[in-house]
Amino acid sequence: MIRRLWRHRAGRAGLALAAAVVLLALLGPLAWPYQPDLPDYARQLTPPDARHWLGTDAAGRDQLARVLAGTGTSLTAVAAVFALTALIGLVVGAVAGFLGGPVDAVVGRTIDVLLGLPPQITALAIVGALGVGTGNLVVALVLAGWAYPARIARAAVLGSHRRLDVLAARLAGIGRWRILTGHVLPGAVTTVLVAATTTAGETVLTLAGLSFLGLGAQPPAAELGQLLADSQSSLVSSPWLLIGPTAVIAAMVAAAMLTADALADITDPAPAPARAGRRARAARTGGDGALVATGLSVRYPDGTHALRGVDLTLAAGTALAVVGESGCGKTTLARTVLRLLPAGTAIGGAVHVAGRDLLHLDRRALRRSRGYLVGYVAQDPYAACDPLRSLGHHVAAPWRVHRRRPPAGVVRDRIAGLGIDPGRLRDRPHRWSGGMVQRATIAAATAHRPAVTVADEPTSALDAGLAEEVLATLRGASSALLLVTHDLRLAAAHSDRVAVMYAGRIIETGRSGDVLDAPRHPYTAALLAATPRPDGTPVRGLPGSPPSLRDLPAGCPFAPRCDRRVADCASREPTLSDGVACWNPR
Amino acid sequence: MTAVVAAVGISRRYGPVTALAELSLAVAPGQILGVTGPSGVGKSTLLRLLAGLERPDTGHVAYAGEPAWAGRGVRYPRPGYVMPVFQNPTASLNPRWPIWRSLTEPLTAPGRERPGRARRRHLAAEWLARAHLDHIDPDTRPGALSGGQCQRVAVLRALVARPALIVADEPTARQDVITAAATSQLIAAATAAGTAAAVVVSHDRAWLAGLAHQIVDLA
Amino acid sequence: MGRRLLSPARAGLRRLGQAAATLLAGSVLVWALLALAPGDPARRVLEAGNVTNPTAAQVEAKRAELGLTGGPARRYGRWLAGAARGDLGVSWVTGRPVRDELGRRLPATLRLAAAAVGLGAVAALALALLAAAAPGRWPDTAARVLSTGALVVPGFVVGLVVLHVVVLRGADLRVIADGRWATVLLPAATLALAPAAAWSRVLRADLLRAAGSGHVDVARARGASTWWALTRHQLPHALVQFLTVVGTGVAALLGGAPVVETVYTWPGIGAYAVAGIASRDLPVVQGYALLAIAAYVAVSLSVDLAAAALDPRVAERRR
């Protein structure tokens, strides 16, 4: 855990800051010659100089010595609050979740109620009753703060009943206790630590605030918040007294925040947003056809080389299906044509749509061209619609986003033409069937009759029967269609030409019927064998997995899975010639 | 021959919603039963009832002729009698564990051989090789694998338990055709020996037709 | 589909019941403070009334008068009944009813809190929109640096710097903080600083999360500008969550109010409560805590109900 934190940028900064503060508190008082509580009335309120780096306070005590001592007090208190809240929270939450029944009901209610109270006020009130002092402050903060980690721990344990890996373990006959220790607790401990770290920064600030109010450490003991309070009366003349305590408090809060951010990052594997970057220079060549891509290559910021030189032509009025396994680059191809790649992606080559150089449109021109040059039909129709807005809004959106009014009656006509009941346009998407919503998104995508419609797996979220209808609708509404799918049979039935992709390249292309009847590349043949037929012939799988696109070995990337391997395959990568990229085609 | 699993008149309601109306079926060893139908007809509920993950409101489920819900909880003839394959392969493997640990977890159940760590890694590598996945390092964590690879590991995990019944809930819904084909081959091979039976839910009728001996349409 | 669905009315009632339970639990906690505190309350009240050496009979009489006789349940019941009528006891220091002391100072705190919530929400909204419009570019970085600074430095230090270094050094005679609207800006801005920074971070993250959803891709593919997508598609989704975060943020404001009021000598109930703690005036602390808890519970209740009303998916999913 610590090692993974160290590898994370924010995590390393957080750990380093925390270590620095701890070292300061431990070694500082030993190394610094002045006593924190020894007044020297001859040297009151001196500004920082070579002897007193942070100056002296109203009693002539060395401010740095007081800050070092105060850091120790504050750090101990924060560490105690952190450890106690995390421990109590984990134990109470996990035990309640594990036992279930009435115990859990009572604990769960208690946690809910406590979380409904403002923590700082609760802490303040408890200190008010117990009396001032650092120890009482710690007790108050723990009493006010344990409920949050407890809720997290309880949720982790309770939620585990529905976790799929836990269900599988249960069915395999693994006992409750071993499921708890093996599957549930390791995750719960991590989430509780993340939660406790997230609140640690707040603890530092609350502690400083309450000490500032005089509710914490009592003089002559030093504490950071109390140092700030002490300096209050002489601030107009000696503002530098603020520097030391503030810097240490800020460092402690920053350490907690950075570590918490990093912990959340490394425990949540969702990819980080890409950073802005530059785009590779692209060759300028014109083209006929609705869509012409030449030498297209795409490399993501993480090094994945998703497209490695793709040439394709989509003639106006036709449909081209791009087919392949997950990770072959087909979705990247679609998103390149849509210019929806994450920032920082390096793009080479050229894409021309209706003769316009798509990759060199500036932001403004790109925005204006969108919906007119390229239309987009996404995979999941529900995800493609803003759930807060009606279906009618989505059909009219192509005009509205360009700040135009939809021509009178056009929306209604298009809707009716797609077999949608115009009377229900005010209903939100989730009240419609998937097929209907997908038809509406097709209507929206093709509203301006774009030169090319790009559809990425437009039917994989729909039932098989609907897929045929929706594809026919899509085909009819598009002037030229780029259909991306993994289903070769479906693709061939709804396109004029097929391009099969593997490891970021097109490895076979041809007329749909020809490819379907007589695949020439071994991979195309394997893809066909794996695709279910309506007659129920058993499907045949393909051993192995596609290669990683980060560092491809030399030779044909398909060779390790290929049953027609020849000597050349290991050394040289074949290029597309006569519609197939293979040293030993069928 | 005794049915691996038999269900008589089972139904299940969630509050006011009837998830599954009365249904009866039996699956014999070596059989693969396909279940299909539009979403919301209770395909997944049926699987959960057959797997003993939920108790039916009415009717009975029996494993190898013995009632599943005799006492307070569900009773299986032995650990790993029923093993699941889920729709979401990544979530069905513990994200913190290397895959050898998930893969061989069924072997550590009470009454099984409980092999040591080195032996478990070795067995995992063997199972991976058997499924043509020898290029996957058993020390990898699920996060570093593709969804298709995770799904094949999840199927293997079910097979490692030597189950009498495999229940698979939309195992190919998010997979490409290659993974789907590999999944059906693994299930078919496991049942071909005659020791295991399978109930497979899918909305992909064509794929199901190539795998199942019989298909129930819950329309 | 395993979850049971609630009708909107039942969900609302349920939330109302939850708020009532929290309030009740809060009252138990506040009442129990008396048991935690060392010393005899009756003696303290008598001393506050200038009876320095009370006789045992006097103490006994006072105890009966304060309702400190009988079992814990009866004592709590009497206390709660009193609190519900607004009777929060008498201050152990001044001997005057706590209700009057708090009531006199409450308007100043309400002004401060309202101004702080308003300032903070507007600042957070502006900062987050700016950052989310160009993630990774300089406005985003600037917003991040600004919000980090506001989060790591205690708000009262900023207050101290503003007050002592900038305003007091400026040396022109004017009223800095008297509890009225005219002087609320500085303390409110100080109080709002950290919460606003936290809110803007949450809102930015939610805006960017919404940007990653399919329908924003589709809108962009249709030619929607960044600003259009941000305001029409991302903001509506993030707004409900923002509202909730601001609602819970009221807790931070309430917690920060005593400190900021003390720094600026703002004549509100927070500063009064702090003085009460220092002088071990427990009824004042109890009254303040009860008031703050009630305010917090009321705010989070209204925020939750408003969020349910604003998000049509919540309402429609329940049908």
Short mmCIF file of all heavy atoms in Angstrom, two decimals, chain B residues 50-71:
data_model
loop_
_atom_site.label_atom_id
_atom_site.label_comp_id
_atom_site.label_asym_id
_atom_site.label_seq_id
_atom_site.Cartn_x
_atom_site.Cartn_y
_atom_site.Cartn_z
N LEU B 50 -32.49 -21.51 -8.61
CA LEU B 50 -31.88 -22.81 -8.90
C LEU B 50 -30.55 -22.93 -8.17
O LEU B 50 -30.14 -24.02 -7.75
CB LEU B 50 -31.67 -22.99 -10.40
CG LEU B 50 -32.94 -23.17 -11.24
CD1 LEU B 50 -32.59 -23.36 -12.70
CD2 LEU B 50 -33.76 -24.35 -10.73
N ALA B 51 -29.83 -21.81 -8.02
CA ALA B 51 -28.52 -21.85 -7.37
C ALA B 51 -28.63 -21.88 -5.86
O ALA B 51 -27.64 -22.01 -5.17
CB ALA B 51 -27.69 -20.64 -7.81
N GLY B 52 -29.85 -21.70 -5.33
CA GLY B 52 -30.01 -21.69 -3.88
C GLY B 52 -29.58 -20.38 -3.25
O GLY B 52 -29.39 -20.30 -2.05
N LEU B 53 -29.43 -19.34 -4.06
CA LEU B 53 -29.05 -18.03 -3.52
C LEU B 53 -30.27 -17.34 -2.92
O LEU B 53 -30.14 -16.44 -2.12
CB LEU B 53 -28.43 -17.16 -4.61
CG LEU B 53 -27.06 -17.63 -5.09
CD1 LEU B 53 -26.60 -16.81 -6.29
CD2 LEU B 53 -26.04 -17.54 -3.98
N GLU B 54 -31.46 -17.75 -3.35
CA GLU B 54 -32.69 -17.21 -2.78
C GLU B 54 -33.66 -18.36 -2.59
O GLU B 54 -33.60 -19.36 -3.30
CB GLU B 54 -33.32 -16.18 -3.73
CG GLU B 54 -32.66 -14.84 -3.65
CD GLU B 54 -33.24 -13.87 -4.66
OE1 GLU B 54 -34.44 -14.03 -5.01
OE2 GLU B 54 -32.51 -12.99 -5.11
N ARG B 55 -34.54 -18.18 -1.61
CA ARG B 55 -35.52 -19.23 -1.33
C ARG B 55 -36.78 -18.91 -2.11
O ARG B 55 -37.25 -17.78 -2.09
CB ARG B 55 -35.81 -19.24 0.16
CG ARG B 55 -36.64 -20.40 0.59
CD ARG B 55 -36.75 -20.46 2.10
NE ARG B 55 -37.31 -21.75 2.48
CZ ARG B 55 -37.13 -22.33 3.65
NH1 ARG B 55 -36.39 -21.72 4.56
NH2 ARG B 55 -37.68 -23.49 3.92
N PRO B 56 -37.36 -19.89 -2.81
CA PRO B 56 -38.61 -19.61 -3.55
C PRO B 56 -39.75 -19.33 -2.57
O PRO B 56 -39.79 -19.89 -1.48
CB PRO B 56 -38.84 -20.89 -4.35
CG PRO B 56 -38.06 -21.94 -3.65
CD PRO B 56 -36.88 -21.25 -3.00
N ASP B 57 -40.69 -18.45 -2.99
CA ASP B 57 -41.85 -18.16 -2.15
C ASP B 57 -42.79 -19.37 -2.12
O ASP B 57 -43.38 -19.69 -1.11
CB ASP B 57 -42.59 -16.93 -2.67
CG ASP B 57 -41.74 -15.69 -2.49
OD1 ASP B 57 -40.96 -15.66 -1.53
OD2 ASP B 57 -41.86 -14.77 -3.32
N THR B 58 -42.95 -19.98 -3.29
CA THR B 58 -43.73 -21.22 -3.34
C THR B 58 -42.91 -22.26 -4.08
O THR B 58 -41.97 -21.93 -4.81
CB THR B 58 -45.05 -21.01 -4.10
OG1 THR B 58 -44.72 -20.76 -5.49
CG2 THR B 58 -45.85 -19.85 -3.56
N GLY B 59 -43.27 -23.53 -3.90
CA GLY B 59 -42.62 -24.61 -4.63
C GLY B 59 -41.33 -25.07 -3.96
O GLY B 59 -40.96 -24.59 -2.88
N HIS B 60 -40.66 -26.02 -4.58
CA HIS B 60 -39.47 -26.64 -4.00
C HIS B 60 -38.36 -26.73 -5.01
O HIS B 60 -38.61 -26.90 -6.20
CB HIS B 60 -39.80 -28.05 -3.51
CG HIS B 60 -40.97 -28.07 -2.57
ND1 HIS B 60 -40.85 -27.79 -1.24
CD2 HIS B 60 -42.28 -28.32 -2.81
CE1 HIS B 60 -42.05 -27.85 -0.68
NE2 HIS B 60 -42.94 -28.17 -1.61
N VAL B 61 -37.15 -26.65 -4.51
CA VAL B 61 -35.97 -26.94 -5.31
C VAL B 61 -35.29 -28.13 -4.67
O VAL B 61 -35.19 -28.21 -3.45
CB VAL B 61 -35.01 -25.73 -5.34
CG1 VAL B 61 -33.72 -26.08 -6.07
CG2 VAL B 61 -35.67 -24.52 -5.98
N ALA B 62 -34.85 -29.08 -5.52
CA ALA B 62 -34.17 -30.25 -4.97
C ALA B 62 -32.87 -30.47 -5.71
O ALA B 62 -32.80 -30.31 -6.93
CB ALA B 62 -35.06 -31.48 -5.08
N TYR B 63 -31.80 -30.79 -4.95
CA TYR B 63 -30.52 -31.15 -5.56
C TYR B 63 -30.33 -32.65 -5.38
O TYR B 63 -30.39 -33.15 -4.26
CB TYR B 63 -29.37 -30.41 -4.86
CG TYR B 63 -29.45 -28.91 -4.98
CD1 TYR B 63 -29.44 -28.11 -3.86
CD2 TYR B 63 -29.54 -28.30 -6.24
CE1 TYR B 63 -29.50 -26.74 -3.96
CE2 TYR B 63 -29.61 -26.93 -6.36
CZ TYR B 63 -29.59 -26.15 -5.21
OH TYR B 63 -29.67 -24.81 -5.32
N ALA B 64 -30.10 -33.35 -6.47
CA ALA B 64 -29.91 -34.80 -6.45
C ALA B 64 -31.00 -35.49 -5.64
O ALA B 64 -30.74 -36.40 -4.86
CB ALA B 64 -28.52 -35.15 -5.89
N GLY B 65 -32.23 -35.01 -5.78
CA GLY B 65 -33.35 -35.62 -5.12
C GLY B 65 -33.60 -35.17 -3.69
O GLY B 65 -34.62 -35.47 -3.11
N GLU B 66 -32.65 -34.43 -3.08
CA GLU B 66 -32.81 -33.96 -1.71
C GLU B 66 -33.33 -32.53 -1.72
O GLU B 66 -32.84 -31.70 -2.48
CB GLU B 66 -31.46 -33.99 -0.96
CG GLU B 66 -30.87 -35.37 -0.82
CD GLU B 66 -31.70 -36.24 0.13
OE1 GLU B 66 -32.16 -35.71 1.16
OE2 GLU B 66 -31.89 -37.43 -0.20
N PRO B 67 -34.29 -32.21 -0.87
CA PRO B 67 -34.80 -30.84 -0.83
C PRO B 67 -33.70 -29.85 -0.43
O PRO B 67 -32.90 -30.12 0.47
CB PRO B 67 -35.91 -30.87 0.23
CG PRO B 67 -35.70 -32.13 0.99
CD PRO B 67 -35.03 -33.09 0.06
N ALA B 68 -33.64 -28.72 -1.13
CA ALA B 68 -32.57 -27.75 -0.89
C ALA B 68 -32.82 -26.95 0.37
O ALA B 68 -31.89 -26.57 1.07
CB ALA B 68 -32.45 -26.81 -2.08
N TRP B 69 -34.09 -26.66 0.66
CA TRP B 69 -34.40 -25.79 1.79
C TRP B 69 -35.08 -26.59 2.89
O TRP B 69 -36.25 -26.36 3.20
CB TRP B 69 -35.29 -24.63 1.36
CG TRP B 69 -34.61 -23.73 0.39
CD1 TRP B 69 -34.62 -23.84 -0.94
CD2 TRP B 69 -33.82 -22.59 0.70
NE1 TRP B 69 -33.88 -22.84 -1.52
CE2 TRP B 69 -33.38 -22.05 -0.51
CE3 TRP B 69 -33.42 -21.97 1.89
CZ2 TRP B 69 -32.57 -20.93 -0.58
CZ3 TRP B 69 -32.62 -20.84 1.83
CH2 TRP B 69 -32.21 -20.34 0.59
N ALA B 70 -34.34 -27.53 3.50
CA ALA B 70 -34.96 -28.36 4.52
C ALA B 70 -35.01 -27.61 5.84
O ALA B 70 -36.06 -27.50 6.46
CB ALA B 70 -34.18 -29.66 4.67
N GLY B 71 -33.91 -27.09 6.30
CA GLY B 71 -33.88 -26.43 7.60
C GLY B 71 -33.98 -24.93 7.46
O GLY B 71 -34.80 -24.42 6.72
#
